[in-house]
């Protein structure tokens, strides 16, 4: 029960505290493109080339939550249309299920992965169920079609770190694995405080 409560607490941290006033104030100091990026997310759309990563640390638990546009991960954002795209999707899911190949944590922190969850919204919309009443569901079908053309991936990784005090940085190999990504926006909350940063292929290390 204690472990379950801790996981729920970490998820609450990511969904609420990470977007508290101090970090929003930080975002307000950035240029117009960041403002547009924020508005896009508020309206449910993502920005191509931009991956969002939230990191929360509580005690010896560390939780990563990644949201990435389908175009960044597989080069398209719709449901697979042929075997080649199906294979690309399968390969991407396999890569995302290996967090140790995506992130490097200090060996001295003794962090071990304990949970991995990967999901995506790039699925075929089921229009068959609406054939009998297509006129009443035109708006819904259009919405589903629109959503299917803007698919994205979500990955959650949970680590248990025996020496969390040694966790002083996080390095990512995301740009090597998924070359369509231009930048990763990171929001972190942990014992060292709150931090917001932008990572690129040339600056792939987050100092904590």
């Amino acid at each position: 029960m204690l472990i379950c409560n801790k996981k729920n607490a970490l998820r609450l941290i990511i969904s609420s505290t990470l977007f508290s006033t101090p970090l929003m104030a930080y975002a307000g100091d950035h240029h117009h493109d960041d403002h547009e990026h924020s508005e896009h997310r508020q309206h449910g759309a993502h920005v191509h080339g931009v991956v969002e990563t939230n990191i929360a640390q509580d005690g010896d638990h560390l939780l990563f939550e990644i949201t990435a546009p389908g175009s960044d991960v597989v080069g398209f954002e719709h449901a697979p249309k042929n075997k080649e795209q199906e294979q690309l999707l399968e390969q991407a899911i396999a890569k995302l299920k290996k967090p140790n190949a995506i992130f490097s944590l200090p060996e001295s922190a003794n962090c071990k992965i304990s949970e991995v969850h990967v999901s995506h919204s790039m699925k075929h919309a089921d229009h068959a169920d609406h054939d009998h009443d297509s006129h009443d569901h035109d708006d819904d079908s259009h919405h589903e079609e629109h959503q299917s053309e803007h698919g994205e991936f979500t990955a959650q990784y949970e680590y248990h770190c025996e020496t969390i005090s040694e966790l002083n940085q996080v390095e990512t190999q995301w740009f090597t694995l998924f070359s369509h990504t231009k930048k990763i926006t990171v929001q972190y909350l942990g014992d060292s405080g709150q931090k917001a940063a932008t990572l690129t292929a040339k600056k792939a290390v987050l100092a904590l």
Side-chain angles (χ1 to χ4, degrees):
M1 180 65 71
L2 179 61
I3 293 177
C4 180
N5 289 340
K6 187 174 287 290
K7 290 177 184 176
N8 289 336
L10 284 171
R11 290 186 172 91
L12 283 173
I13 288 172
I14 278 185
S15 64
S16 58
T17 313
L18 278 174
F19 299 100
S20 62
T21 301
L23 282 181
M24 292 304 291
Y26 174 95
D29 293 336
H30 282 64
H31 296 299
H32 185 64
D33 60 338
D34 289 330
H35 176 67
E36 288 181 346
H37 170 66
S38 177
E39 286 189 347
H40 277 301
R41 289 307 297 174
Q42 287 177 6
H43 290 289
H46 52 241
V47 180
H48 296 173
V50 180
V51 170
E52 297 180 354
T53 300
N54 297 323
I55 307 173
Q57 178 254 320
D58 180 29
D60 54 7
H61 288 261
L62 190 67
L63 185 68
F64 287 70
E65 187 174 72
I66 304 168
T67 303
S71 59
D72 282 40
V73 179
V74 292
F76 55 90
E77 298 194 340
H78 49 73
K81 296 180 178 180
N82 51 51
K83 289 184 178 180
E84 182 181 357
Q85 290 185 347
E86 288 177 357
Q87 186 175 24
L88 287 172
L89 182 59
E90 290 175 2
Q91 291 173 347
I93 293 172
K95 287 181 182 179
L96 289 171
K97 287 185 176 180
K98 298 177 180 178
N100 290 334
I102 299 175
F103 295 106
S104 297
L105 307 178
E107 290 186 10
S108 56
N110 294 316
C111 296
K112 304 296 182 184
I113 192 72
S114 58
E115 270 196 45
V116 174
H117 296 287
V118 176
S119 62
H120 66 87
S121 58
M122 299 168 61
K123 301 173 183 177
H124 292 285
D126 185 6
H127 297 290
D129 293 338
H130 300 284
D131 287 345
H132 66 285
D133 197 11
S134 59
H135 293 291
D136 292 341
H137 295 282
D138 279 347
D139 290 341
D140 292 340
S141 297
H142 176 72
H143 177 68
E144 288 178 5
E145 182 179 352
H146 177 72
Q147 288 294 94
S148 68
E149 291 297 322
H150 294 278
E152 61 186 19
F153 289 80
T154 300
Q156 259 191 2
Y157 309 133
E158 184 176 354
Y159 292 83
H160 175 264
C161 303
E162 292 184 10
T163 317
I164 196 72
S165 59
E166 293 293 319
L167 184 69
N168 56 11
Q169 70 172 40
V170 175
E171 183 175 1
T172 183
Q173 290 76 46
W174 179 278
F175 299 99
T176 300
L177 296 170
F178 307 106
S179 59
H180 292 291
T181 300
K182 296 178 181 178
K183 65 180 181 179
I184 299 175
T185 60
V186 181
Q187 296 196 76
Y188 169 83
L189 179 64
D191 288 345
S192 59
Q194 296 182 353
K195 190 179 186 94
T198 298
L199 302 182
T200 64
K202 294 182 178 180
K203 184 185 176 184
V205 177
L206 172 70
L208 302 178

